[in-house]
Amino acid sequence: MPVENISPGVWRLPRLRMLAGWILAACVAVCVWMMETRFAGLDVEHVTVADTPVTLYRPAGSAALPPVIVAHGFGGSRQMMDQISVSIARQGFAVASVDLLGHGRNGGALLQDITRIEGTTQQLVTSIERVADAIVARPDTVGPVSYVGHSMATDVIIRAAESRDDVGGVVAISMYSEAITERDPAALLVVSGESEGHLREAGLRSVQQIDPGAAEGETVVADGVKRRTVVAPYVGHVGVLYSGETLGEATTWLRDVTGQGREAPLDRTGVVAGVLLVALVLLAWPMAGLLPRRFEEEHPV
């Protein structure tokens, strides 16, 4: 656009837009700072374990700690599990969060055979088993290995846990698995989002294998088997990962069933990420005031 066609003062923002811009920019800056400082007090390392990309989280300067394998659902990645991984690590665990085959930074080919357990499911189970073996063998871990999984990964971690004798606890978020028996997993917590009706039913069936009269929110114990199923309010299949109910139940469960760890603040930056996204979207309005007037009139915000 020729300079002579730009009205005088076109680059000046009205006071309301300017004020909103400064407030939103400050909000963005604070959110980014909070996201960056969420790992304070933790050692975070990105490595490859048994051909699988893994992020390791542990309290800085700690001695050997109980290991926890964290696995995401279909279409996800270890970044989606950050809030859970960080919260568990703060409790005094060595967390290994994985990118499953064909997901995230894992370039391995995922089989398309989803109709048989011996196909894609067994491929993922084998991958998790190899990661668990490698993590348990590290000198900075000690004791039984625990598992946390979401959606697709719940079936994978439950089957992987059944292949080991040294299992601490299993946390299955948005779970469905036909591998659950009256004996395995011996220490199972199931967390479902409030709107996940059929998955809530699956969680309830897992505890009713032990006590037919069990209800959501009740812990049942019988013959060395301990199970609990709970509901994260107001959330669904993805929001359940960032629910305070999920974080609190998962960390408490792992401390209780392993007898390890310590109570520590949870990672609440899932809310911060939501605020950051909203602030970035709203920032488009004051930023539009910086455009030449003719462009703004032709492309109103």
Side-chain angles (χ1 to χ4, degrees):
M1 178 184 297
V3 174
E4 59 270 16
N5 291 339
I6 301 178
S7 305
V10 71
W11 299 105
R12 296 178 183 174
L13 288 174
R15 290 183 179 181
L16 180 59
R17 273 189 169 179
M18 182 178 294
L19 178 61
W22 282 111
I23 292 175
L24 290 168
C27 182
V28 168
V30 170
C31 288
V32 169
W33 174 80
M34 292 180 69
M35 295 289 288
E36 289 298 316
T37 58
R38 65 191 304 198
F39 302 114
L42 296 178
D43 287 334
V44 181
E45 184 180 2
H46 303 287
V47 298
T48 298
V49 177
D51 298 326
T52 299
V54 176
T55 300
L56 302 174
Y57 307 82
R58 58 186 298 113
S62 58
L65 297 172
V68 179
I69 309 298
V70 175
H72 59 81
F74 182 78
S77 69
R78 53 191 152 149
Q79 281 75 25
M80 285 188 66
M81 307 298 288
D82 262 357
Q83 187 164 317
I84 291 173
S85 298
V86 169
S87 294
I88 295 172
R90 286 179 180 174
Q91 311 291 310
F93 293 90
V95 176
S97 183
V98 306
D99 273 345
L100 294 173
L101 287 163
H103 293 74
R105 294 184 179 275
N106 192 328
L110 187 65
L111 294 176
Q112 301 302 306
D113 185 1
I114 62 174
T115 61
R116 300 179 304 120
I117 296 301
E118 295 78 13
T120 307
T121 298
Q122 186 56 52
Q123 182 191 26
L124 293 172
V125 170
T126 300
S127 178
I128 288 292
E129 289 174 338
R130 293 177 62 199
V131 171
D133 288 341
I135 294 298
V136 169
R138 289 172 60 101
D140 56 359
T141 65
V142 63
V145 60
S146 297
Y147 296 85
V148 177
H150 174 238
S151 190
M152 172 190 72
T154 59
D155 188 43
V156 174
I157 63 170
I158 286 169
R159 294 178 187 275
E162 288 179 350
S163 68
R164 306 187 68 93
D165 295 325
D166 59 336
V167 175
V170 175
V171 178
I173 304 167
S174 299
M175 182 211 75
Y176 185 84
S177 176
E178 295 181 351
I180 298 174
T181 69
E182 293 180 358
R183 300 298 306 171
D184 292 307
L188 171 66
L189 168 69
V190 179
V191 184
S192 306
E194 185 175 15
S195 64
E196 297 184 293
H198 65 295
L199 297 183
R200 290 175 61 177
E201 292 173 2
L204 193 56
R205 286 196 299 271
S206 71
V207 297
Q208 289 179 343
Q209 286 181 323
I210 311 304
D211 179 358
E216 290 177 328
E218 179 181 353
T219 301
V220 297
V221 181
D223 298 326
V225 178
K226 182 176 183 179
R227 291 186 183 167
R228 175 176 172 82
T229 183
V230 296
V231 176
Y234 314 119
V235 294
H237 197 62
V238 175
V240 67
L241 290 174
Y242 309 102
S243 166
E245 186 80 10
T246 302
L247 300 178
E249 288 280 350
T251 52
T252 299
W253 184 259
L254 292 175
R255 292 199 313 269
D256 287 349
V257 299
T258 63
Q260 302 292 323
R262 60 181 185 275
E263 188 171 359
L266 303 173
D267 180 18
R268 302 289 190 178
T269 49
V271 175
V272 176
V275 173
L276 175 60
L277 179 61
V278 172
L280 287 171
V281 171
L282 294 178
L283 195 57
W285 177 61
M287 293 297 292
L290 296 175
L291 298 172
R293 186 69 50 81
R294 179 178 294 178
F295 183 91
E296 189 178 15
E297 290 173 353
E298 295 175 356
H299 303 81
V301 177

